[in-house]
Amino acid sequence: MAGKKREIQLQAVINNQSLWDEMLQNKGLTVIDVYQAWCGPCKAMQTLFRKLKNDLNEDEILHFVVAEADSIVTLQPFRDKCEPIFLFSVNGKIIAKINGANASLVNKKIIDFINEERKIAEGRMVRPQYHEIAFVDSDIEDVEEASHENNDQLYSIAIIKPEAVHTGKNIEIKEKPDFEDFLSLVTSDLSYILVISQRDEQDPSWEGTVPNSETESKEPSKDQHEMATPTVMKKQDSLQEYMERQHLSEFCDIEENVVNVNKLIDIFFPDFKSLKNIKLEKIMALLRPDLFREKKENVLNIIQDEGFKILMQRQILLSKEEAQTLCMEYENKDYFKNLMENMTSGPSLALVLLRDNGLQHWKELIGPNTVEEAKEYLPESLCVQFAMDSLPINQLYGSVSLEAAEKEIDYFFPPQKVLVLIKPHVTHDEREEIFKLIKENGFEITHMKEMLLNEEQAGKIYFKIKQKHFYKNILEMLSEGPSLVMVLTKWNAVSDWRRLMGPTDPDEAKLLSPDSVRARFGQSTLKNAVHGSSNLYEATEAINELFVPENPEKN
């Protein structure tokens, strides 16, 4: 209940400020698991806490609680944090903090504090003068929190009108349009609704980045398409002023009034506020050779059951240098030589995984680096479940940080670019379905523009077949309307896109690859919905010709 402290298993629940203040009256050590309402306490540590509770047998001086950051004023600095946070209170004073589910470190900290309390009680030592830690984050985190607190002032709404969505052409809008005409216009076809936030031009976290389709908001429905596009603007510019300078104001309506923006967000994106707390994270995981050979399917099933999406996977025979990099934490162990031989003896399985709070969840799922440590602290972890007699280490590897994950993914899954064309006969609704397939298959749309392709432009895409007798039929088909030209980025992008496209003939595609794009949306061999580069050379040549880098506007 909200107003009373109660015991759930071994941890008391603290979910308001008065219970927090009451908890600080505890004698001895109180271990506090600070959690967010949207993800709950850290279950991975409960086995350790239960073991310590039983082994130490110090109920008078050892207490475990879970504290909801969202409901306690004192814990405000810890709100909206993905990883678990453990605080240590001794006689009402918070004197230590550990970030993350580091079982061995938490275990050592608890045992050290309890041993101190025992010595103090026996008169063998004087109580140390502890310094209470301040609940403040680093400068970067302070800036992030400030931006969260002022969210309502940073968002604008842009509605791209149906005619602009459909054709990409200029629209004639009356200075003061008749309401019925305006209503008829905006309900005639699909509009794009965008929530846009203005950022400081010098924010290093966005410089040179491209929106990641995998971390965008929910899938677009039939009636609307959600996008989040970071755009550099002068700080003093309003969105309306920026759109006018870019000659785009005729294509969309802008709303910047805070009250109206919030109302529109509630209407068009009812889950927007809760989705802001979801932090999708990409990590790299690896099944070592023995585990990959013997129990690959078991592990993959668990990964998917735990809510991870497998974005990419590949078998890889590690070089000695690669194996050493992935096993650095074991280099001083006496079994390191055997480990290197094992890691290079056969293929490993490298995976790119995506999940909300993925980094921390994977760490908790697989457990510590060694089987001995895992059996003592996290006996339910995958480290124990898939232990092998060959080596005393965790048979699963995971990135130690998001920065490391980014580097590892780029190394083991180097991105490729492929040029893709959606042909004129494809309807707007079918385009949306193709976008959905692109996203589901792990591609990122890094460039996109709609073009009525002329003969010269078409030749840059189809240069391999310009001398074929049927090329004039292709030019005629492309002249029937605008095509959508895109650059898709992904590891192994060329072959993966050709697999997703399916065979050239839609009838053949329906037999051999019924879920492919051409099977679903193709009409004939000529009007087969999409085109894609045949190899990396073709892709590079066409992209360089059609997407010439433009000089950024100097503000």
Side-chain angles (χ1 to χ4, degrees):
M1 294 183 183
K4 295 182 181 179
K5 184 192 294 186
R6 58 190 175 93
E7 197 76 11
I8 292 185
Q9 296 179 349
L10 79 165
Q11 293 167 293
V13 175
I14 309 296
N15 54 15
N16 60 47
Q17 187 63 40
S18 63
L19 287 177
W20 173 268
D21 295 337
E22 181 183 338
M23 178 270 299
L24 293 178
Q25 304 304 312
N26 287 350
K27 177 185 175 183
L29 173 66
T30 302
V31 182
I32 307 162
D33 175 359
V34 179
Y35 71 95
Q36 315 298 319
W38 53 273
C39 64
C42 181
K43 294 181 179 179
M45 300 293 283
Q46 290 176 357
T47 302
L48 171 63
F49 293 158
R50 189 175 294 107
K51 182 178 184 297
L52 287 169
K53 188 85 168 176
N54 294 332
D55 292 351
L56 295 173
N57 194 25
E58 292 284 4
D59 291 345
E60 292 297 318
I61 60 171
L62 178 59
H63 317 274
F64 295 95
V65 306
V66 293
E68 183 182 325
D70 307 80
S71 305
I72 300 168
V73 176
T74 304
L75 299 180
Q76 183 175 351
F78 302 121
R79 292 175 187 172
D80 296 326
K81 297 293 185 290
C82 287
E83 65 178 357
I85 295 169
F86 297 95
L87 303 176
F88 299 84
S89 170
V90 175
N91 292 339
K93 185 182 287 187
I94 308 295
I95 62 172
K97 179 181 78 166
I98 293 177
N99 292 330
N102 189 328
S104 58
L105 185 58
V106 170
N107 179 74
K108 183 178 184 303
K109 186 74 72 175
I110 292 172
I111 292 175
D112 288 348
F113 279 136
I114 292 300
N115 286 338
E116 278 189 5
E117 289 300 305
R118 286 170 172 169
K119 291 177 182 178
I120 292 168
E122 294 168 359
R124 292 191 289 134
M125 71 175 285
V126 178
R127 181 174 297 282
Q129 295 298 312
Y130 298 118
H131 295 286
E132 189 164 13
I133 64 172
F135 289 172
V136 292
D137 295 329
S138 66
D139 292 338
I140 293 176
E141 290 173 327
D142 283 338
V143 171
E144 289 175 351
E145 287 187 1
S147 68
H148 279 298
E149 291 169 4
N150 296 299
N151 271 340
D152 291 344
Q153 300 175 14
L154 297 179
Y155 291 111
S156 301
I157 291 285
I159 303 177
I160 302 179
K161 297 166 184 164
E163 188 65 18
V165 172
H166 186 63
T167 66
K169 295 180 180 178
N170 203 347
I171 319 164
E172 292 185 11
I173 301 291
K174 298 177 183 177
E175 189 70 26
K176 293 183 179 180
D178 176 79
F179 180 74
E180 293 297 329
D181 291 344
F182 178 76
L183 191 62
S184 176
L185 170 70
V186 297
T187 58
S188 62
D189 207 336
L190 293 175
S191 296
Y192 280 6
I193 316 295
L194 296 87
V195 179
I196 300 176
S197 62
Q198 182 172 356
R199 67 176 178 86
D200 190 282
E201 189 176 359
Q202 315 221 331
D203 178 3
S205 64
W206 285 83
E207 289 299 327
T209 62
V210 177
N212 186 339
S213 63
E214 289 151 359
T215 57
E216 300 291 346
S217 52
K218 296 191 303 182
E219 296 289 350
S221 69
K222 186 176 180 180
D223 299 317
Q224 63 190 42
H225 184 80
E226 303 176 21
M227 297 189 295
T229 307
T231 307
V232 178
M233 296 183 288
K234 285 184 177 179
K235 192 152 187 173
Q236 66 270 24
D237 283 353
S238 69
L239 179 59
Q240 184 66 47
E241 291 168 338
Y242 179 76
M243 298 297 281
E244 289 172 357
R245 287 197 298 112
Q246 297 293 327
H247 310 293
L248 296 172
S249 58
E250 297 149 304
F251 292 90
C252 59
D253 289 323
I254 305 296
E255 180 57 70
E256 296 181 291
N257 178 274
V258 173
V259 175
N260 292 339
V261 166
N262 287 335
K263 288 180 179 177
L264 290 171
I265 286 176
D266 288 341
I267 292 170
F268 292 117
F269 307 97
D271 298 325
F272 182 80
K273 292 178 182 177
S274 61
L275 287 172
K276 285 190 300 179
N277 289 327
I278 296 178
K279 298 176 174 64
L280 293 176
E281 295 173 346
K282 272 196 296 189
I283 62 165
M284 199 196 85
L286 184 121
L287 280 64
R288 304 185 198 273
D290 290 349
L291 181 60
F292 172 54
R293 183 176 60 253
E294 297 182 24
K295 296 185 177 180
K296 179 189 78 167
E297 293 304 324
N298 301 47
V299 177
L300 294 182
N301 289 336
I302 291 173
I303 287 173
Q304 292 175 320
D305 290 344
E306 287 291 328
F308 286 97
K309 182 175 182 181
I310 300 174
L311 298 178
M312 294 180 276
Q313 60 178 299
R314 64 178 296 201
Q315 297 181 38
I316 180 169
L317 185 61
L318 296 172
S319 67
K320 182 179 179 181
E321 291 75 18
E322 290 167 340
Q324 287 175 336
T325 301
L326 292 175
C327 300
M328 285 171 48
E329 64 268 35
Y330 307 107
E331 62 183 349
N332 295 323
K333 303 295 183 181
D334 55 8
Y335 52 77
F336 185 68
K337 182 179 178 181
N338 292 338
L339 174 59
M340 288 299 96
E341 292 176 357
N342 180 275
M343 290 293 291
T344 56
S345 64
S348 299
L349 182 66
L351 303 162
V352 177
L353 306 179
L354 178 73
R355 187 190 186 276
D356 176 34
N357 196 20
L359 179 69
Q360 189 60 39
H361 191 78
W362 182 250
K363 287 181 179 180
E364 295 172 6
L365 182 64
I366 66 174
N369 292 333
T370 65
V371 177
E372 180 182 5
E373 195 177 5
K375 285 181 177 178
E376 183 174 0
Y377 301 126
L378 291 172
E380 298 175 359
S381 65
L382 298 189
C383 179
V384 176
Q385 185 175 340
F386 293 107
M388 298 279 178
D389 294 334
S390 55
L391 287 166
I393 67 165
N394 197 328
Q395 288 291 326
L396 292 122
Y397 168 84
S399 306
V400 298
S401 67
L402 293 178
E403 293 76 15
E406 186 176 358
K407 293 177 182 178
E408 290 166 351
I409 291 169
D410 283 345
Y411 180 82
F412 287 104
F413 298 87
Q416 279 185 356
K417 296 183 186 297
V418 61
L419 186 87
V420 170
L421 180 75
I422 299 182
K423 297 182 178 180
H425 70 86
V426 176
T427 68
H428 187 81
D429 287 345
E430 289 172 340
R431 278 189 184 182
E432 293 295 320
E433 289 297 315
I434 294 173
F435 289 152
K436 186 176 178 181
L437 286 173
I438 287 170
K439 181 176 179 181
E440 288 175 349
N441 282 272
F443 291 95
E444 295 180 17
I445 302 175
T446 47
H447 297 285
M448 179 170 66
K449 60 183 175 181
E450 195 167 50
M451 304 173 66
L452 183 59
L453 293 166
N454 57 35
E455 185 171 351
E456 179 185 359
Q457 292 166 331
K460 294 172 180 176
I461 299 173
Y462 290 94
F463 61 86
K464 264 182 71 174
I465 59 171
K466 286 176 68 174
Q467 306 306 319
K468 301 288 185 179
H469 68 278
F470 56 81
Y471 182 61
K472 63 179 181 179
N473 297 330
I474 292 176
L475 293 177
E476 184 178 339
M477 176 270 297
L478 294 175
S479 69
E480 292 176 0
S483 300
L484 193 65
V485 186
M486 300 182 290
V487 177
L488 304 185
T489 302
K490 180 190 177 185
W491 173 73
N492 211 25
V494 173
S495 60
D496 280 6
W497 174 250
R498 295 193 68 77
R499 190 179 305 113
L500 184 59
M501 279 197 305
T504 304
D505 185 344
D507 290 334
E508 183 181 351
K510 288 171 185 175
L511 291 173
L512 301 179
S513 185
D515 295 325
S516 65
V517 177
R518 285 169 169 165
R520 293 179 58 183
F521 307 110
Q523 299 176 4
S524 64
T525 302
L526 191 61
K527 295 185 177 182
N528 57 3
V530 290
H531 169 78
S533 310
S534 299
N535 53 56
L536 192 56
Y537 171 77
E538 280 186 27
T540 304
E541 288 293 306
I543 290 168
N544 289 341
E545 290 288 346
L546 291 170
F547 291 91
V548 180
E550 298 178 1
N551 293 325
E553 179 189 359
K554 294 182 180 179
N555 292 329

